[in-house]
Amino acid sequence: MAVFLNRFRPHFVPYSLLVMHKLNTLSCSLALAALLAVPAAFGEVKDSTPKAGADTWEAPAGLAISPDGAELYVACAKTGHVLVLDADGLETKRSIAVSGGASGLALSADGKTLYVTCAAPLSHLAVVDAAHGKVIRTIPAGHTAQAPVLSPDGATVYVCNRFSDDISVINVKSGKETGRIPVDREPVAAAPTPDGKYLLVANHLHHGRADTNVVAAKVSVIDVASRKVTKELILPNGSGMLREIQVSPDGRYAGVVHVLARYQLPTTQLERGWMNTSALSLIDLSDVSLMSTILLDNVDSGAANPWAVAWSADSKTIYITHAGTHELSVIDFTGVLQKLAKAKANPQAAASAGYRSMPDITGDLSFLAGLRERVKLAGKGPRASVTRDHRVYVADYFSGSVERVDAQPGLPVKTQVRHIEPNQTMSILRRGESLFNDATICFQGWQSCASCHSDDARSDGLNWDLLNDGIGNPKNSKSLLLSHRTPPAMSMGVRDTAETAVRSGIRSILFTVQPEEIPVAMDEWLKSMKPIPSPYLVNGKMSSAAKRGETIFNSAETHCASCHTPGLYTDMKHHDVGTGAEEKLYDTPTLVEIWRTSPYLHDGSAVTIRDVLTSHNSKDRHGKTSHLTPAQLDDLAAYLLSL
Ligand code: HEC
Ligand code: HEC
């Protein structure tokens, strides 16, 4: 029987909160036991790499397997090397040093050459002779490069430049970047079709206002010959936090995993995917269109933060890691196709299964019943995966481990785990980051803090109706960078400090009760986060337009600096700057890193800085801007986007 989530009417019952608390006690003590099993070393915090909030540990972020299946390559994001493991026993055989955090890797079809993205504001691609572990050449790429992928003919490497919002096209033979293809927003994964005609790109976040009827991220379809995005596949309303996209080996389908947020409902409860669900969107490559989106959660247990997608060689099984609940889904894809075809071809049968229309499938929390096995993993934070036939390798980001899962159809699933981390004690920072990404401290595993704030505690760009300031007044998610240094918290300042907000988040968003050491670790990690240098900087410096903008910002006429005082760029006070429907006071937000937090203002109604300063400031109540020429407005925006 189908079990739907989108046929429930929001009922504004305050007591649902109380019921939740009771139900939680059990799941929370279980989660706690699991957490306490991890040894925690409070105290020593090693010096970090330049990455924001970094605490050095292996942080395995990418996997590749040699064509003969003998060697497994593991990209280590925080230590800047690639480990080579024997794929059977998972023993570390050797280590290849690259300069900078290894965010992802790809292996040539002959197994001889490794391509490793080293993420930084000025990233590069390291080309490595796999047998000898030598870096042959380094090729510059964009801001925060990741997810390298080879074209089917092996002649091109594509690299996702997350914060340059584009794809680097790198010619393997010449070792040169031959072009950049702009995509929608924050590309985090790409997959070519086997005929080499298209490159499908997963954009992490939506681009646009947050107060419209449909707010969803897209898959950009690049026509490789013309090097242009020729199609954009808009995922269902509320889709975001895209992670990985993969094309089936038979070239017929692509799968992309993401969060499917029910952001339009007031956040009164979590049951049946009330707030965030986890989804797999399937793309039919015969006409490159969105085929269906199916939910990965169960009725009473969420499968939060889906991350990696992989297919078996015969395209019959699809594997998905759940970074929030530390699981692997093994999905009978043939069964999924049959079920979808039945619903499409036979509306009557579909109706008897409860589907009134195809989109109803997207609301069915029992769609995968009988078609999927949820495999509990041993490590924490399974992110990357790679397959060989029906064997899946998974890299656990937080526990620094690699797991091998043998999932032969018809046989019981077998798993083996190996720690690649020499020092397995977690510093408080790593623990804080891991807890922030952990959905097992949430009621029924529906979400983690990262479901709305992403893994690095920024923003999903969605408007949520949190109940801390009443009901019916949604607010755009906030980045947590500098939150602890800029009290009060929340756009109306309803929480006196970020510490209070963290604790109320655990209580009223994860619907759970946790020991104080958990928010303490989260606080420590959040406080350690550093701003990422803006992609608008030119060689790390402000452009001349930005410098001119700085003068305008600091002028007595615009008086921007009187509220956004340089340094933290906030006076930490409330003001009415004419942005609310009625007279409303909002906390002055910091402007640091606003290059990555569009849409702006408490209601996410302004897409660009220009919008904030013009259409949303018609009466000059938000600083004086009406006298500025278009060129001056551009300069001012260039300055703000450089912070
Ligand atoms: C359902 C989405 C969602 C989840 C999950 C979520 N948050 Fe938030 N968070 C928000 C929104 C929306 C805001 C901004 C609200 C406002 O401005 O009134 C916010 C604001 C905050 C702030 C205040 C930031 C500032 O500078 O004012 C903190 C701190 C915070 N969240 C921490 C957390 C923590 C810790 C967790 C996990 C326990 C968490 N959040 C989970 C949506 C979420
Ligand atoms: C009187 C105090 C004050 C002055 C002066 C002021 N601001 Fe603001 N600013 C605010 C407040 C309060 C908000 C939050 C408004 C909201 O969320 O609706 C804000 C929001 C913003 C935002 C959106 C930030 C985000 O993350 O959503 C930008 C950009 C901004 N201001 C730039 C400027 C510029 C540029 C000037 C000068 C032209 C300026 N501000 C002058 C108080 C001020």
Side-chain angles (χ1 to χ4, degrees):
M1 196 197 55
V3 182
F4 296 99
L5 49 77
N6 52 359
R7 290 193 193 155
F8 292 90
R9 302 248 175 283
H11 43 232
F12 310 104
V13 275
Y15 62 75
S16 67
L17 272 161
L18 293 171
V19 177
M20 279 311 99
H21 276 305
K22 279 199 194 133
L23 286 172
N24 274 334
T25 333
L26 179 71
S27 61
C28 165
S29 49
L30 290 175
L32 220 146
L35 280 166
L36 292 176
V38 180
F42 296 88
E44 192 208 326
V45 176
K46 280 188 208 156
D47 216 20
S48 60
T49 63
K51 220 180 152 221
D55 175 18
T56 308
W57 77 93
E58 300 289 6
L63 290 175
I65 188 148
S66 62
D68 62 3
E71 288 189 328
L72 186 69
Y73 297 91
V74 187
C76 297
K78 301 223 180 190
T79 47
H81 56 233
V82 176
L83 294 178
V84 187
L85 270 54
D86 120 59
D88 241 359
L90 301 178
E91 300 279 0
T92 302
K93 288 163 70 174
R94 51 187 207 277
S95 162
I96 302 169
V98 290
S99 55
S103 53
L105 50 75
L107 187 63
S108 63
D110 62 8
K112 288 188 178 152
T113 317
L114 262 181
Y115 300 92
V116 187
T117 46
C118 300
L122 297 172
S123 311
H124 64 269
L125 181 75
V127 183
V128 181
D129 172 343
H132 303 95
K134 285 224 167 65
V135 177
I136 312 165
R137 77 174 20 129
T138 61
I139 305 161
H143 198 310
T144 310
Q146 58 192 75
V149 61
L150 280 148
S151 60
D153 63 6
T156 311
V157 182
Y158 302 104
V159 169
C160 295
N161 298 313
R162 179 164 175 191
F163 295 128
S164 319
D165 296 335
D166 58 21
I167 306 295
S168 285
V169 182
I170 293 166
N171 183 298
V172 165
K173 214 174 198 173
S174 69
K176 296 234 156 68
E177 185 184 45
T178 58
R180 291 271 183 101
I181 306 168
V183 290
D184 193 51
R185 183 182 188 182
E186 296 195 22
V188 288
T193 52
D195 58 8
K197 239 176 115 184
Y198 300 109
L199 184 73
L200 309 179
V201 178
N203 295 288
H204 190 57
L205 297 178
H206 80 90
H207 187 175
R209 292 175 72 134
D211 59 346
T212 50
N213 284 337
V214 176
V215 182
K218 299 174 187 132
V219 169
S220 303
V221 182
I222 293 172
D223 173 68
V224 168
S226 65
R227 295 194 172 188
K228 282 204 175 76
V229 173
T230 48
K231 202 168 187 180
E232 285 185 321
L233 304 176
I234 304 173
L235 299 177
N237 192 15
S239 296
M241 300 287 160
L242 276 64
R243 289 293 174 187
E244 201 177 27
I245 186 162
Q246 287 282 345
V247 169
S248 60
D250 64 11
R252 297 180 61 195
Y253 304 98
V256 57
V257 283
H258 54 92
V259 170
L260 186 59
R262 313 276 154 172
Y263 66 93
Q264 285 155 322
L265 301 177
T267 56
T268 48
Q269 58 171 313
L270 280 167
E271 281 187 307
R272 295 171 186 247
W274 192 270
M275 280 195 224
N276 277 310
T277 52
S278 312
L280 165 69
S281 283
L282 293 167
I283 296 162
D284 183 344
L285 292 177
S286 64
D287 58 353
V288 199
S289 66
L290 186 65
M291 188 163 89
S292 192
T293 295
I294 56 181
L295 294 179
L296 300 166
D297 313 288
N298 290 109
V299 180
D300 58 357
S301 90
N305 307 117
W307 197 291
V309 191
W311 302 77
S312 60
D314 60 9
S315 302
K316 287 185 179 159
T317 313
I318 191 163
Y319 308 97
I320 293 170
T321 63
H322 300 276
T325 51
H326 322 299
E327 291 171 296
L328 178 78
S329 278
V330 179
I331 301 171
D332 168 6
F333 186 61
T334 314
V336 167
L337 286 177
Q338 283 165 355
K339 196 163 176 179
L340 287 174
K342 225 160 98 188
K344 205 171 170 183
N346 187 345
Q348 253 167 357
S352 73
Y355 304 134
R356 289 176 306 202
S357 62
M358 276 302 264
D360 270 355
I361 290 173
T362 305
D364 183 3
L365 281 167
S366 64
F367 183 86
L368 285 177
L371 297 174
R372 178 264 300 265
E373 184 171 354
R374 285 173 74 160
V375 180
K376 224 47 270 86
L377 296 170
K380 291 256 173 220
R383 291 190 177 177
S385 76
V386 68
T387 49
R388 188 174 160 79
D389 303 328
H390 291 278
R391 176 174 278 189
V392 192
Y393 295 89
V394 173
D396 304 311
Y397 191 81
F398 290 111
S399 51
S401 45
V402 171
E403 309 195 33
R404 203 185 69 206
V405 181
D406 287 294
Q408 284 296 336
L411 291 178
V413 172
K414 278 194 300 193
T415 61
Q416 190 194 335
V417 61
R418 175 82 64 184
H419 281 272
I420 53 166
E421 188 70 42
N423 172 11
Q424 286 171 37
T425 52
M426 278 202 194
S427 70
I428 190 165
L429 295 188
R430 178 167 160 194
R431 226 169 104 66
E433 183 177 349
S434 127
L435 289 162
F436 192 87
N437 281 274
D438 198 337
T440 61
I441 59 166
C442 174
F443 173 69
Q444 291 184 346
W446 286 107
Q447 60 187 3
S448 67
C449 307
S451 298
C452 298
H453 293 290
S454 201
D455 57 309
D456 58 354
R458 265 63 173 199
S459 163
D460 60 4
L462 295 178
N463 285 352
W464 286 96
D465 196 1
L466 302 183
L467 306 178
N468 54 24
D469 54 3
I471 201 160
N473 53 353
K475 300 285 177 338
N476 199 235
S477 281
K478 294 188 79 173
S479 164
L480 310 186
L481 176 71
L482 298 175
S483 290
H484 286 75
R485 291 179 64 192
T486 59
M490 306 295 171
S491 48
M492 293 179 67
V494 293
R495 301 288 181 217
D496 57 349
T497 60
E499 281 86 349
T500 309
V502 167
R503 282 148 188 79
S504 53
I506 293 172
R507 200 173 50 243
S508 312
I509 299 180
L510 303 187
F511 288 91
T512 171
V513 178
Q514 297 293 340
E516 178 62 11
E517 56 154 319
I518 285 178
V520 164
M522 286 188 189
D523 285 334
E524 286 314 303
W525 172 62
L526 292 170
K527 284 192 270 189
S528 77
M529 295 197 308
K530 307 244 162 16
I532 293 175
S534 164
Y536 293 87
L537 295 174
V538 181
N539 293 323
K541 300 222 163 60
M542 256 193 245
S543 65
S544 41
K547 282 187 195 146
R548 291 192 299 273
E550 182 175 20
T551 310
I552 300 169
F553 185 87
N554 288 315
S555 73
E557 208 170 7
T558 58
H559 66 268
C560 310
S562 66
C563 296
H564 299 285
T565 325
L568 293 170
Y569 290 86
T570 165
D571 58 359
M572 302 187 224
K573 294 199 171 80
H574 291 42
H575 302 277
D576 179 359
V577 291
T579 50
E582 312 120 42
E583 295 269 299
K584 279 239 176 92
L585 294 172
Y586 295 99
D587 181 42
T588 308
T590 174
L591 302 180
V592 176
E593 233 190 45
I594 55 167
W595 56 267
R596 68 174 289 194
T597 55
S598 170
Y600 304 112
L601 301 178
H602 68 280
D603 57 0
S605 60
V607 177
T608 63
I609 304 281
R610 238 321 165 111
D611 295 343
V612 174
L613 302 176
T614 57
S615 53
H616 287 69
N617 191 29
S618 53
K619 294 186 183 145
D620 276 343
R621 288 173 67 187
H622 187 176
K624 185 167 183 292
T625 52
S626 59
H627 63 298
L628 298 174
T629 64
Q632 286 175 314
L633 286 167
D634 284 344
D635 289 347
L636 185 51
Y639 172 63
L640 298 182
L641 292 170
S642 303
L643 297 175

